[in-house]
Every structure is written in structure tokens, then in C-alpha cells.
């Protein structure tokens, strides 16, 4: 039976049940697929189908007085997705710059010895490596990539930065006796504390996305696979690549070298603040806020009551 309701809309019938007129008409044109792999582009192409669909999109952009025409093609969807990705590149770059600035303020102290600008950049690069592996493997497997996947770099960057904060916080909160040990032992103690938290949270996220990948919705299933692989490799790079960078940064501090250019500092160097503007960041502004403002406020009688 012909699916009349899927072809025309706004139908008006006469008293005998015959169609008098309709306000909308849907037509579907199917063309023979002749896809082939283009070695120069490194992608599967179908020039004949792309040309047909591009001309169809051009017709859909015209204005007709007698009727309104809407066109939907695979070529048009691909073009709009590409434009969306290009528009997001500037936002992505700006977001990464802000993240690096934020991490620099929170990871270390604003002094020549203690600030961790290169370690912060290395942590963001570590998260970027996880993103690259996720996109590379999933693309190699031929998984679907859609507009919703453009938020994955921000999602995976947030997970990576969170792991980085946990590792560095554990490194800085080692007991006083531990700071006298060599770098290898201090890294071991750090991962002994932070490794559990980082692994549990990452595996929890991984399992959640793996469960989501069982959905019947192709776009959501692909998104969950992309995210799951990204989180897994982000964990791998954080406990290997970033931890190695942390060890190198620890050796730099032990050798009294400048955190920016690695120049040798004098033996009489002292941790004086750079200027009065930076005093909140000298010991970490988050620690200072929770230790000097938030915790004392909670202990006051009106709040306790």
C-alpha cells in the first residue's frame, strides 16, 4: 500500500474521501552509488553523486514565488558540518589558552622557582594526545563523525586537566620527610595516592560511555565510543607522559633552576613574591580561599546553626 501520509501533508478530502488538494509534497531521489577511494585525498569519494547533490542544494537556495522548497542532501549536511567544525576551531583554541592560563595559576606559585608554566602546557598537551588517539583510532575503524562530536575536545580536556590537578596536588602534599627523598621515590608515593583516584574516576567514566555505546542511535553510539577511547588514553598519558614531565620539573626545582628559562638561580635565592598583585597566588589561590575564607566561615556560629 502506498504510504500517502509520508508523501503529502496538509491534505483536504471531499465528502467521498478523495483528495482535493495538499499543502506539502515530499519527494525522495535515490542515485546509484559509485564510491571509490581517492588516494590523493585519502578518503572515499563519489564525484558524480556530490555534483548531483551540490546542484540540488543550489536549487534549494532559490526563492520561488509559488511555493517554498526545502532540500536535504548528504553533501549539504557534510558541508554544514565542516563549516561548524571550522567555526569551532577559534573557540577551541581560545578555550585551550584559557585552560593553560588557569592551570598555570593553580598548579604552582608565582615565583621564579615554583611557577609551572611548562608543566601546565605539558599537561594540556597530554590531554591533546588522548584526543588525537581517540579521533585517529575511531576514524580508522570507520565510526560515524557528526556535529555533536565537536564538543569532545572540551570534554576530554576537562577530564585530563582534572587528573592533572589530582596528581600535582598529591605531589605537593607529600609529607615533609618524603620531599627529602629522590625523584623516583617521590613520584612513586605520588602515584600511590593519586593513581587510585585518577584510575577510579577514569574507569567509571569509561564504563558509563561503554554502556552508552550499546544504544541503537548511531550518532550517540559513535559519540560514546569516541569519548570512551579518549578517556582511556587520557588516563594512560597522564600517568606516563605527564608524570614524566612532573619528574623533570621536580629535578629542575631541586637544582634551583628558573621555571621559565631553566637558568641557574643563586644559592641565596629566596621565594619572595613577584609583586603585591600576586600575593593570593603565592601559595595557590584555591588553597588560600578554602583555608583562609571558606573554612573559617563554616566554623562561625550563624553558619553552624
Amino acid at each position: 500500500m502506498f504510504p500517502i501520509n509520508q508523501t503529502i501533508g496538509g491534505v483536504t478530502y471531499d465528502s467521498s474521501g478523495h483528495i482535493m488538494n495538499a499543502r506539502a509534497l515530499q519527494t525522495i531521489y535515490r542515485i546509484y552509488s559509485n564510491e571509490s577511494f581517492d588516494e590523493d585525498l585519502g578518503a572515499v569519494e563519489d564525484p558524480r553523486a556530490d555534483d548531483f547533490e551540490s546542484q540540488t542544494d543550489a536549487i534549494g537556495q532559490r526563492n520561488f514565488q509559488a511555493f517554498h522548497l526545502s532540500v536535504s542532501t548528504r553533501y549539504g549536511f557534510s558541508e554544514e558540518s565542516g563549516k561548524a567544525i571550522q567555526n569551532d576551531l577559534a573557540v577551541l583554541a581560545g578555550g585551550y589558552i584559557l585552560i593553560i592560563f588557569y592551570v598555570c595559576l593553580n598548579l604552582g606559585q608565582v615565583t621564579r622557582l615554583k611557577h609551572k608554566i611548562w608543566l601546565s602546557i605539558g599537561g594540556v598537551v597530554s590531554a591533546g594526545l588522548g584526543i588525537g588517539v581517540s579521533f585517529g583510532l575511531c576514524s580508522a575503524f570507520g565510526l560515524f563523525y557528526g556535529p555533536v562530536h565537536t564538543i569532545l575536545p572540551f570534554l576530554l580536556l576537562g577530564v585530563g586537566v582534572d587528573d592533572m590537578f589530582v596528581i600535582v596536588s598529591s605531589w605537593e602534599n607529600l609529607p615533609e620527610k618524603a620531599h627529602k627523598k629522590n625523584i623516583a621515590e617521590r613520584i612513586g608515593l605520588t602515584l600511590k595516592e593519586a593513581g587510585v583516584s585518577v584510575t577510579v574516576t577514569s574507569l567509571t567514566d569509561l564504563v558509563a560511555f561503554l554502556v552508552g555505546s550499546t544504544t541503537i542511535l548511531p550518532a550517540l553510539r559513535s559519540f560514546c565510543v569516541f569519548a570512551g577511547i579518549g578517556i582511556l588514553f587520557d588516563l594512560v598519558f597522564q600517568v606516563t607522559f605527564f608524570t614524566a614531565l612532573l619528574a623533570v620539573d621536580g629535578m629542575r626545582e631541586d637544582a634551583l633552576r628558573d621555571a621559565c628559562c631553566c637558568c641557574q638561580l643563586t644559592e641565596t635565592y629566596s621565594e619572595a613574591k613577584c609583586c603585591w598583585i600576586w600575593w593570593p597566588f603565592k601559595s595557590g589561590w584555591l588553597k588560600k580561599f578554602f583555608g583562609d575564607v571558606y573554612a573559617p566561615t563554616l566554623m562561625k556560629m550563624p553558619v553552624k546553626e
Side-chain angles (χ1 to χ4, degrees):
M1 185 176 181
F2 184 75
I4 190 68
N5 293 332
Q6 299 179 13
T7 305
I8 58 177
V11 181
T12 302
Y13 298 91
D14 60 12
S15 57
S16 60
H18 294 89
I19 298 175
M20 298 293 295
N21 57 61
R23 300 183 59 186
L25 171 66
Q26 175 181 265
T27 58
I28 300 176
Y29 296 92
R30 301 184 183 275
I31 59 176
Y32 178 75
S33 177
N34 189 28
E35 294 182 342
S36 60
F37 183 77
D38 190 324
E39 295 183 356
D40 295 332
L41 297 177
V44 177
E45 297 288 330
D46 189 349
R48 177 173 172 270
D50 290 344
D51 181 64
F52 174 81
E53 292 182 351
S54 64
Q55 294 186 35
T56 304
D57 288 335
I59 295 174
Q61 295 176 2
R62 298 180 184 177
N63 294 322
F64 298 94
Q65 296 182 353
F67 58 90
H68 173 73
L69 178 65
S70 297
V71 176
S72 176
T73 64
R74 182 189 63 175
Y75 179 85
F77 179 80
S78 177
E79 286 292 310
E80 291 299 323
S81 299
K83 292 179 181 179
I85 294 173
Q86 292 178 359
N87 293 334
D88 287 341
L89 289 179
V91 179
L92 180 62
Y96 270 58
I97 293 174
L98 290 176
I99 285 293
I100 292 174
F101 180 73
Y102 174 78
V103 171
C104 288
L105 291 180
N106 285 278
L107 279 190
Q109 303 172 12
V110 187
T111 63
R112 293 182 61 188
L113 182 65
K114 294 293 187 179
H115 82 79
K116 302 181 183 297
I117 181 172
W118 298 117
L119 184 63
S120 303
I121 294 175
V124 174
V125 170
S126 179
L129 291 174
I131 296 171
V133 172
S134 171
F135 278 59
L137 285 179
C138 292
S139 298
F141 295 154
L143 295 178
F144 170 78
Y145 182 89
V148 70
H149 290 64
T150 57
I151 69 172
L152 277 172
F154 300 99
L155 173 66
L156 297 178
L157 178 62
V159 174
V161 169
D162 178 68
D163 293 342
M164 180 170 49
F165 278 130
V166 173
I167 295 174
V168 174
S169 178
S170 179
W171 167 268
E172 293 181 345
N173 292 328
L174 289 175
E176 189 66 28
K177 293 182 180 179
H179 284 285
K180 298 179 182 180
K181 298 182 179 181
N182 59 47
I183 294 295
E185 291 178 324
R186 285 154 61 187
I187 287 293
L189 292 173
T190 298
L191 290 182
K192 179 182 177 181
E193 298 295 330
V196 177
S197 300
V198 171
T199 303
V200 169
T201 55
S202 297
L203 291 182
T204 301
D205 294 338
L206 174 62
V207 171
F209 281 112
L210 289 180
V211 172
S213 66
T214 60
T215 180
I216 61 174
L217 301 176
L220 181 58
R221 180 170 62 245
S222 173
F223 177 84
C224 290
V225 174
F226 268 79
I229 293 178
I231 289 174
L232 175 62
F233 280 94
D234 177 75
L235 170 64
V236 172
F237 285 118
Q238 290 295 335
V239 298
T240 55
F241 179 75
F242 177 73
T243 305
L245 294 179
L246 181 61
V248 173
D249 189 71
M251 290 187 286
R252 176 197 59 78
E253 289 187 9
D254 292 347
L256 288 179
R257 291 188 174 274
D258 188 281
C260 184
C261 58
C262 291
C263 298
Q264 184 68 52
L265 300 175
T266 62
E267 295 182 358
T268 58
Y269 170 79
S270 61
E271 289 291 303
K273 58 189 179 184
C274 299
C275 63
W276 68 271
I277 297 177
W278 297 107
W279 73 267
F281 306 108
K282 190 173 186 303
S283 61
W285 68 276
L286 280 178
K287 291 182 180 179
K288 204 161 190 67
F289 169 76
F290 282 104
D292 298 348
V293 179
Y294 187 72
T297 302
L298 292 180
M299 298 305 295
K300 291 181 179 180
M301 189 60 67
V303 179
K304 293 171 64 177
E305 294 179 351

